[in-house]
Amino acid sequence: MSTAPRTDTRSPAPHVADSHDLIRVHGARENNLKDVDVEIPKRRLTVFTGVSGSGKSSLVFSTIAAESQRMINETYSAFVQGFMPTLARPEVDVLEGLTTAIIVDQERMGANPRSTVGTVTDANAMLRILFSRLGLPHIGSPQAFSFNVASISGSGAVSFERGGKSVKERRDFSITGGMCPRCEGMGRVTDIDLSQLYDDSKSLAEGALTIPGYSMDGWYGRIFSGCGFFDPGKPIRKYTKAELHDLLYKEPTKIKVDGINLTYEGLVPKIQKSMLSKDKEALQSHIRAFVERAVTFTSCPDCGGSRLSEMTRSSRIAGVNIADACAMQISDLAEWVRGLDEPSAAPLLATLRRTLDSFVEIGLGYLSLDRSSGTLSGGEAQRVKMIRHLGSSLTDVTYVFDEPTTGLHPHDIQRMNDLLLRLRDKGNTVLVVEHKPETIAIADHVIDLGPGAGTAGGTVCFEGTVEGLRAAGTLTGRHLDDRAALKETVRTPTGKLEIRGATAHNLRDVDVDIPLGVLVVVTGVAGSGKSSLVHGSIPAGADVVSVDQGAIRGSRRSNPATYTGLLDPIRKAFAKANGVKPALFSANSEGACPGCNGAGVIYTDLAMMAGVATTCEECEGRRFRASVLEHHLGGRDISEVLAMPVTEAAEFFGSGEARTPAAHAVLRRLADVGLGYLSLGQPLTTLSGGERQRLKLATHMAEKGGVYVLDEPTAGLHLADVEQLLGLLDRLVDSGKSVIVVEHHQAVMAHADWIIDLGPGAGHDGGRIVFEGTPADLVAARSTLTGEHLAAYVGA
């Protein structure tokens, strides 16, 4: 009789491979972190909280994610690494248990005019293949449906070696592209208003040109006077057709003036190359004002703004061409693709359906594939980046999110939470930097950094569960259950801003009166038309100062002092006190240390290895020449002033020998927006997203505008900082300004004097005013999604 072998009922000892269930960080010192030690559980959802500037991003992005990416890059050959971004090893003693990190940050997508939602998510690539296989009439390969490929053809002789002889053959080639020849795939054509370029009653010699920088005193004067194409002493209105054409449109032509070889080019192509080819935001303010005045962008009349040639638009599937498909709302496009039954393209259709369904699932079904990626908000850009990860089969990956609820209505936050939990439940480690209590509440583990910001932060205040955080008494714990109350009395408007027949994007002929002299909040689900109403429909000349979420442009040489214009009065004060010229007190000009050219550090490029930055031995990181540091103002040299925090600098320049009213005014505005802890010389590249937006707000507060339009000013703000922001908005309104805020944060809604709610849905389901009135009326009516969530928030 045979018996089955006995099995031991005792549980086996855990396998050694299962013991690595923590990410251990010891001695992290990146940016403002002060020897931080944390242990993060794997395959769990960990939320990092703390005030803006407390070190959350330094720990999560600059330490954990950066080291993970650096180590993955090192697994490639030196040849491949040469093409990849080089990453320095973060300042940390020990990092153990890392897994592959996938970073989904809030960096705005590049504003390249050729980049659309479809091109950045590969949905366009799949549609192009689909139309090249199934479209009738058949016109060519996938590139025949691309607005970035021009149609070209040519022929000629080619010579090559064959059997030891040189052989010549005639060859023809042609490429069929989808680019519209008129607008070159841009969808828009620029029209230059010639009356803004010159005054035709004057001659060139009398200064007829009104283009910034085109004076007759310098090289331009020499070229125009000596080119011989027209008479510079004759009024422009008396030019012949040929002379006017040469002034405006002549191709680049070699000329000789006073024995010097120069190139003459017409005004219009010269302006297009020097001004219109650059990003408008990067231009100097006076040039940007000229461009806005002189140039109009209109939809291309040949392609109707679709960017595609007539031939490309003639090929259709089930009566729809690729331009129609890209212009559809994505939720509608998903339905159309679902209706296509073509066995020959089944795998492609299945993948395209999955991608489009991911858009809808993540709350972006209201977008269209032809939407320019530069027009997406930070939150939308982040969710677009998430799409490629939703259907991923990868597990045991670390997903790193930077405030994924930014730009989301409370109604949509639950959906985002579900997505984060789904990623975790597949066996992934999810790290989230977040301020919203709704997302903090779903965390398995919370790490709270602080206690303050900048140099006052960088330590771990609490580590544990959400319930533990509530009881911990840290700044985040104390404010976690904060609920703003509705105002008992609201301000009375002093006027109104009329918007009539607004049709920008998805707005449906909206008429609305925005009250002036009060705090107005424009709200609604993401994609309901808030930005279209506020940024796209306010009439010109309404005296508006707009503070959007666009990224601040700045290199490591830029700092709060240079960005806000604070450095100019400081330099002049130093120059006046010491009897020298102001340029000496700029690290980017004459005062720069010759050893490091004013950078404070010397960068050594090591090809595919991470570059090394060493502190300059000559100036010891101060960035200035030794002779410049001998000049003092109020007992301090310029490097000591730039090392001061804003609050200390405000006292320094507010009274005594160093009293400088112009500098003090800028510093007071920086303190008002909650940036009192920033040092004046801190590089802009080290600021967090919330800090950058408040820096921009402080700069715009100096502008002489009657109406302030703010786009989600609570983005990146800690719960405790929201109170300070509300105080600032109140001060702006009380000083006689009108403030219009596009916002989802219920605390700001509750604090408003007037609410305009758009909806009821997103995309073509939105674009209508569903409520306008006081917050109390909105809560009482509960007629909209916003009303229901605000009522729950204030406990009504």
Side-chain angles (χ1 to χ4, degrees):
M1 187 175 88
S2 65
T3 56
R6 265 186 67 198
T7 54
D8 193 348
T9 53
R10 285 175 301 172
S11 61
H15 195 286
V16 68
D18 296 329
S19 61
H20 304 285
D21 54 359
L22 291 173
I23 297 174
R24 293 185 178 83
V25 182
H26 289 289
R29 295 178 298 280
E30 200 65 29
N31 296 331
N32 65 333
L33 296 179
K34 297 169 182 169
D35 272 326
V36 165
D37 298 345
V38 288
E39 293 191 342
I40 301 162
K42 285 190 188 173
R43 295 175 286 282
R44 297 289 182 273
L45 175 64
T46 301
V47 173
F48 294 79
T49 63
V51 296
S52 182
S54 60
K56 305 182 297 296
S57 295
S58 299
L59 177 59
V60 179
F61 291 94
S62 305
T63 305
I64 298 169
E67 179 65 356
S68 170
Q69 290 211 309
R70 187 185 73 84
M71 296 179 90
I72 289 167
N73 287 1
E74 283 190 353
T75 64
Y76 297 109
S77 68
F79 172 74
V80 174
Q81 285 183 53
F83 295 97
M84 301 174 89
T86 52
L87 302 163
R89 189 183 186 284
E91 282 282 307
V92 61
D93 294 334
V94 179
L95 262 178
E96 288 177 354
L98 289 179
T99 65
T100 306
I102 293 174
I103 298 173
V104 189
D105 59 18
Q106 274 198 31
E107 282 300 311
R108 285 292 181 101
M109 295 195 177
N112 185 322
R114 294 192 177 280
S115 174
T116 65
V117 170
T119 59
V120 297
T121 57
D122 299 337
N124 254 41
M126 288 185 268
L127 269 181
R128 290 200 300 267
I129 298 168
L130 188 68
F131 274 86
S132 72
R133 302 296 188 271
L134 306 181
L136 293 174
H138 176 75
I139 59 169
S141 69
Q143 63 188 11
F145 295 90
S146 169
F147 53 76
N148 289 327
V149 179
S151 291
I152 53 173
S153 59
S155 61
V158 294
S159 56
F160 51 90
E161 295 289 325
R162 183 190 285 163
K165 290 181 185 175
S166 184
V167 182
K168 276 194 174 181
E169 275 185 18
R170 184 175 177 77
R171 294 273 173 91
D172 298 321
F173 78 93
S174 72
I175 295 172
T176 306
M179 180 187 287
C180 166
R182 171 85 178 265
C183 63
E184 296 184 346
M186 294 292 195
R188 298 189 305 170
V189 286
T190 55
D191 206 6
I192 295 180
D193 181 357
L194 299 180
S195 66
Q196 297 291 338
L197 305 188
Y198 54 80
D199 177 352
D200 67 356
S201 65
K202 294 180 181 175
S203 68
L204 290 174
E206 292 168 340
L209 296 182
T210 54
I211 308 164
Y214 282 62
S215 77
M216 294 299 285
D217 302 334
W219 278 107
Y220 286 120
R222 274 190 174 189
I223 292 170
F224 289 130
S225 304
C227 66
F229 300 130
F230 38 72
D231 179 1
K234 185 166 72 172
I236 293 177
R237 64 169 56 146
K238 293 186 177 173
Y239 277 19
T240 64
K241 267 190 176 176
E243 285 177 323
L244 193 59
H245 178 272
D246 285 350
L247 173 67
L248 295 175
Y249 302 108
K250 194 166 184 68
E251 306 288 312
T253 309
K254 298 281 185 212
I255 59 171
K256 201 162 200 166
V257 180
D258 301 337
I260 301 168
N261 289 323
L262 297 168
T263 300
Y264 174 83
E265 187 174 13
L267 290 177
V268 170
K270 202 161 187 66
I271 287 170
Q272 282 176 325
K273 283 178 192 167
S274 64
M275 297 179 189
L276 303 189
S277 61
K278 294 177 182 168
D279 180 13
K280 201 162 75 171
E281 292 301 313
L283 297 172
Q284 290 171 283
S285 55
H286 66 291
I287 296 176
R288 190 187 320 149
F290 164 75
V291 169
E292 286 170 351
R293 201 170 58 241
V295 181
T296 54
F297 295 93
T298 52
S299 192
C300 172
D302 284 13
C303 66
S306 69
R307 305 164 176 246
L308 295 159
S309 67
E310 193 175 352
M311 182 183 68
T312 301
R313 285 177 283 131
S314 70
S315 181
R316 297 172 181 269
I317 300 174
V320 173
N321 65 30
I322 191 167
D324 299 333
C326 290
M328 281 185 197
Q329 187 167 305
I330 288 173
S331 53
D332 296 342
L333 180 60
E335 285 299 317
W336 179 76
V337 171
R338 209 169 277 117
L340 297 177
D341 183 23
E342 189 59 52
S344 63
L348 178 64
L349 284 168
T351 308
L352 182 56
R353 275 187 215 114
R354 264 203 310 274
T355 301
L356 296 174
D357 287 342
S358 295
F359 271 101
V360 178
E361 188 182 355
I362 210 164
L364 292 177
Y366 60 87
L367 295 178
S368 60
L369 294 182
D370 63 1
R371 168 92 173 256
S372 177
S373 60
T375 64
L376 299 178
S377 69
E380 285 172 334
Q382 187 176 22
R383 282 177 284 153
V384 165
K385 290 177 198 169
M386 280 179 75
I387 281 165
R388 64 179 65 248
H389 305 304
L390 286 184
S392 170
S393 309
L394 292 173
T395 60
D396 261 329
V397 170
T398 300
Y399 284 98
V400 185
F401 291 97
D402 185 11
E403 292 182 45
T405 59
T406 296
L408 284 185
H409 188 271
H411 169 69
D412 298 318
I413 289 178
Q414 183 57 49
R415 189 188 267 168
M416 178 58 72
N417 284 350
D418 291 343
L419 290 172
L420 295 175
L421 292 171
R422 246 178 52 202
L423 284 173
R424 177 203 68 185
D425 293 345
K426 278 164 64 176
N428 298 305
T429 307
V430 181
L431 309 181
V432 184
V433 172
E434 189 53 85
H435 294 293
K436 292 270 172 73
E438 297 96 325
T439 301
I440 297 172
I442 63 165
D444 301 307
H445 191 70
V446 180
I447 295 174
D448 188 22
L449 286 123
T455 51
T459 59
V460 175
C461 300
F462 172 80
E463 217 182 326
T465 63
V466 180
E467 288 310 312
L469 177 65
R470 279 199 173 90
T474 65
L475 193 63
T476 308
R478 289 201 305 275
H479 287 275
L480 198 56
D481 294 317
D482 272 6
R483 293 291 179 267
L486 293 173
K487 282 158 81 167
E488 291 180 13
T489 56
V490 294
R491 299 179 182 92
T492 307
T494 56
K496 62 184 179 183
L497 185 65
E498 293 184 2
I499 294 177
R500 294 290 177 266
T503 54
H505 299 311
N506 65 331
L507 294 179
R508 303 203 177 176
D509 211 16
V510 169
D511 296 338
V512 65
D513 291 335
I514 299 179
L516 297 177
V518 297
L519 175 59
V520 178
V521 170
V522 179
T523 187
V525 296
S528 59
K530 304 181 297 299
S531 296
S532 303
L533 180 69
V534 173
H535 293 301
S537 307
I538 286 181
D543 194 22
V544 167
V545 174
S546 183
V547 187
D548 61 12
Q549 285 191 9
I552 284 178
R553 296 175 186 282
S555 65
R556 55 177 174 248
R557 284 182 176 273
S558 310
N559 52 48
T562 58
Y563 182 80
T564 57
L566 169 66
L567 203 54
D568 289 337
I570 291 177
R571 284 204 305 253
K572 284 173 186 164
F574 265 95
K576 191 175 175 185
N578 294 281
V580 292
K581 55 184 179 179
L584 282 176
F585 301 99
S586 168
N588 299 327
S589 184
E590 291 183 33
C593 159
C596 59
N597 289 328
V601 289
I602 293 169
Y603 292 92
T604 309
D605 182 17
L606 299 176
M608 79 283 177
M609 306 290 284
V612 175
T614 49
T615 304
C616 172
E617 292 179 4
E618 202 164 321
C619 66
E620 295 177 341
R622 292 196 188 97
R623 303 175 61 191
F624 292 90
R625 294 173 181 271
S627 57
V628 173
L629 298 178
E630 288 170 11
H631 298 301
H632 288 79
L633 174 69
R636 305 283 185 105
D637 65 42
I638 184 72
S639 70
E640 289 171 330
V641 167
L642 289 176
M644 286 181 183
V646 166
T647 43
E648 187 185 333
E651 284 178 33
F652 180 71
F653 288 109
S655 59
E657 186 195 334
R659 187 172 177 275
T660 312
H664 187 252
V666 178
L667 289 162
R668 211 172 55 244
R669 287 199 299 273
L670 285 169
D672 279 348
V673 296
L675 294 177
Y677 59 88
L678 277 190
S679 62
L680 305 186
Q682 183 175 337
L684 286 189
T685 48
T686 64
L687 299 190
S688 69
E691 288 169 332
R692 290 181 194 193
Q693 194 181 14
R694 282 181 286 159
L695 183 61
K696 194 190 274 193
L697 177 58
T699 309
H700 284 295
M701 277 169 62
E703 294 180 23
K704 300 285 183 278
V707 181
Y708 280 81
V709 175
L710 309 182
D711 191 358
E712 294 184 40
T714 60
L717 278 192
H718 187 264
L719 299 161
D721 295 328
V722 173
E723 289 174 26
Q724 186 170 5
L725 177 77
L726 292 175
L728 172 66
L729 298 180
D730 278 341
R731 283 200 298 280
L732 280 173
V733 175
D734 295 339
S735 69
K737 309 285 187 191
S738 301
V739 179
I740 303 169
V741 185
V742 176
E743 189 53 85
H744 294 294
H745 202 295
Q746 291 108 315
V748 181
M749 290 184 213
H751 200 72
D753 298 307
W754 192 258
I755 284 187
I756 297 171
D757 191 12
L758 281 103
H764 58 49
D765 298 326
R768 291 191 290 267
I769 304 278
V770 290
F771 176 85
E772 46 183 324
T774 64
D777 292 342
L778 178 62
V779 166
R782 300 192 192 198
S783 56
T784 68
L785 283 170
T786 306
E788 288 173 20
H789 283 278
L790 186 58
Y793 178 82
V794 298

